[in-house]
Amino acid sequence: MAGKSPWGGKPTGGKPTGGSGGDGGDAPDGDPAPGGDPARGPRNPWLPGGEEPRRSASIEDIFKHRGPEGPRRGGGGPRFRLPEGPGGRNWFPLAIAAIAALWLFVTSVHQVAPREQGIVTWLGGKYSQTLSPGLNFTLPWPLQVVEIENVSQIRSESIPGTNEEKLILTGDQNLVDLSYLIRWNIKDLKQFKFQLADPEETIREVAEAAMRASVAEQELDSVLSGEGRAEIEERVRTRMQSILDAYRAGVAVQGIEIEKTDPPTEVVEAFKDVSAAQQDAETAVNSARAYAQRMLARAQGDAAAFDKIYEEYRLAPEVTRRRLYYETMESVLAKTDKTIIESDGVTPYLPLPEVRRRAQAPVPAPPPASAPEGQ
């Protein structure tokens, strides 16, 4: 029974087509068929009717659709394409231009706050200019790099910064454990950024040298008691500022604050005993001074009273003499228990003080009456 082969061969009289051993099969690929057309490959049975059968790929087709990264996908898969503008224009150049404009604006326009300054460098290395507070414009990054710093901020450095001892030699050859705080800010941003390799470390070293020199001018007692602290702090600040200005560090030292002045740990108990003895000595000296002041005031008062009596004595000697006698006898007899009356017919001694004491003594309260028995 003649019929159409599902594999793309021509209808035959019952002979198979396209097989590897069929006599009436298709001609090999690339050889001309009897009708003059090149032979085609086997027909795909799953294609709808009327479509051309798929021919087998040649070696040229394989390399034609192969790129450096591997075989290229055919036209059957989805492809990503940018949306097109009016008239079929491509949006890709416009997107690139918008990104470039945004990059130029962001890296070229700089807003500097009132308390800040900015340093502009070429390619992040060579100094170009200093930006003042306000709106500033520079070349875009990476041609010019901008670094903004707060120059008005008060910064602090604590020395030694940990709980370890910092022993410093005083003027009387004693050691004191001393810790202090440095407050500073930037006064010249260009010098601060480019003059010193490590400005913070330089500030710490200069502060330590100035503190040792200033403490060496004071004795241990003045350092521990706090009497010489203000003088030490001012000397350290002055010395630090002088050295940093010589280094052109661009730093302004605002102040020094001594936080702790203690004796070394090994001799702290002995220092406590010495401090207690000194406090006792100061207490005794203050008591003696107070007593001296009282005695001096009393003597001055007695001298002033004597001067007044002498003036009265010069005006009326007899009256003044008698009044002095009476006042003296009154002060003497007021301390005795005897009353002497120089008059005839009167007993020389009367126990008036004893009578007075008995009269002033409190009368003892009577004991409470006991309750009758049987109640």
Side-chain angles (χ1 to χ4, degrees):
M1 177 178 176
K4 184 177 180 181
S5 172
W7 310 111
K10 294 181 181 180
T12 60
K15 295 181 180 181
T17 61
S20 58
D23 295 335
D26 295 332
D29 291 342
D31 295 339
D37 295 335
R40 300 186 180 275
R43 177 180 177 83
N44 189 346
W46 310 111
L47 291 177
E51 291 191 8
E52 264 189 13
R54 179 179 64 83
R55 66 183 180 86
S56 60
S58 63
I59 191 68
E60 291 84 0
D61 295 335
I62 293 175
F63 283 99
K64 180 179 179 181
H65 296 287
R66 185 179 181 89
E69 65 278 358
R72 299 175 181 173
R73 297 187 178 274
R79 294 183 179 180
F80 174 76
R81 300 181 62 185
L82 291 175
E84 297 181 354
R89 293 180 56 187
N90 193 353
W91 290 103
F92 184 74
L94 296 179
I96 294 297
I99 294 174
L102 179 62
W103 170 71
L104 290 175
F105 177 79
V106 171
T107 60
S108 300
V109 180
H110 308 278
Q111 178 66 36
V112 182
R115 297 167 59 89
E116 298 176 341
Q117 288 184 359
I119 285 290
V120 183
T121 56
W122 289 101
L123 300 176
K126 186 178 179 181
Y127 170 77
S128 174
Q129 60 177 327
T130 301
L131 302 182
S132 301
L135 191 63
N136 298 270
F137 299 92
T138 63
L139 294 178
W141 184 90
L143 296 179
Q144 286 189 336
V145 179
V146 178
E147 185 176 357
I148 297 177
E149 286 282 351
N150 190 338
V151 296
S152 299
Q153 178 185 1
I154 302 299
R155 312 176 188 213
S156 61
E157 293 287 340
S158 181
I159 298 177
T162 58
N163 294 328
E164 63 181 5
E165 286 187 332
K166 193 71 172 180
L167 300 180
I168 300 178
L169 190 66
T170 61
D172 51 357
Q173 305 300 313
N174 287 305
L175 291 175
V176 59
D177 180 16
L178 192 144
S179 63
Y180 50 97
L181 185 69
I182 310 163
R183 297 191 303 273
W184 60 278
N185 69 312
I186 302 173
K187 72 174 181 179
D188 192 322
L189 186 57
K190 177 183 176 182
Q191 294 180 353
F192 181 77
K193 286 293 185 182
F194 296 98
Q195 192 66 26
L196 300 177
D198 192 348
E200 288 81 3
E201 184 63 24
T202 301
I203 291 172
R204 293 175 63 88
E205 293 178 356
V206 170
E208 185 172 353
M211 180 61 72
R212 291 186 180 276
S214 301
V215 172
E217 298 173 351
Q218 300 286 335
E219 294 184 354
L220 179 64
D221 293 340
S222 63
V223 176
L224 292 178
S225 62
E227 297 177 359
R229 284 192 181 184
E231 184 177 357
I232 292 174
E233 291 171 351
E234 182 60 27
R235 289 183 180 180
V236 172
R237 191 197 67 81
T238 304
R239 282 181 171 139
M240 283 189 62
Q241 192 64 63
S242 176
I243 296 174
L244 292 173
D245 289 344
Y247 289 167
R248 299 181 63 192
V251 172
V253 181
Q254 299 298 330
I256 307 295
E257 181 180 350
I258 297 177
E259 296 180 332
K260 181 185 68 172
T261 54
D262 292 333
T265 307
E266 293 79 1
V267 295
V268 65
E269 295 299 330
F271 267 88
K272 289 181 179 179
D273 295 339
V274 172
S275 178
Q278 289 177 346
Q279 292 178 359
D280 294 341
E282 291 179 359
T283 302
V285 170
N286 293 334
S287 300
R289 288 175 180 173
Y291 179 77
Q293 293 290 338
R294 291 197 301 269
M295 292 296 102
L296 180 61
R298 182 181 298 178
Q300 290 176 349
D302 294 343
F306 181 81
D307 291 338
K308 292 181 179 180
I309 295 172
Y310 178 70
E311 293 295 333
E312 297 293 334
Y313 180 79
R314 291 178 57 186
L315 297 176
E318 185 62 28
V319 175
T320 304
R321 188 183 300 113
R322 185 175 295 275
R323 192 186 68 180
L324 290 175
Y325 172 76
Y326 291 154
E327 290 178 354
T328 303
M329 294 303 295
E330 182 180 2
S331 62
V332 171
L333 297 177
K335 300 177 183 179
T336 64
D337 293 339
K338 295 180 180 180
T339 303
I340 300 175
I341 301 175
E342 296 181 355
S343 179
D344 297 336
V346 178
T347 304
Y349 171 72
L350 292 177
L352 298 180
E354 184 67 23
V355 175
R356 187 181 301 110
R357 281 197 297 269
R358 291 179 180 178
Q360 294 177 353
V363 178
S370 58
E373 295 183 358
Q375 292 184 356

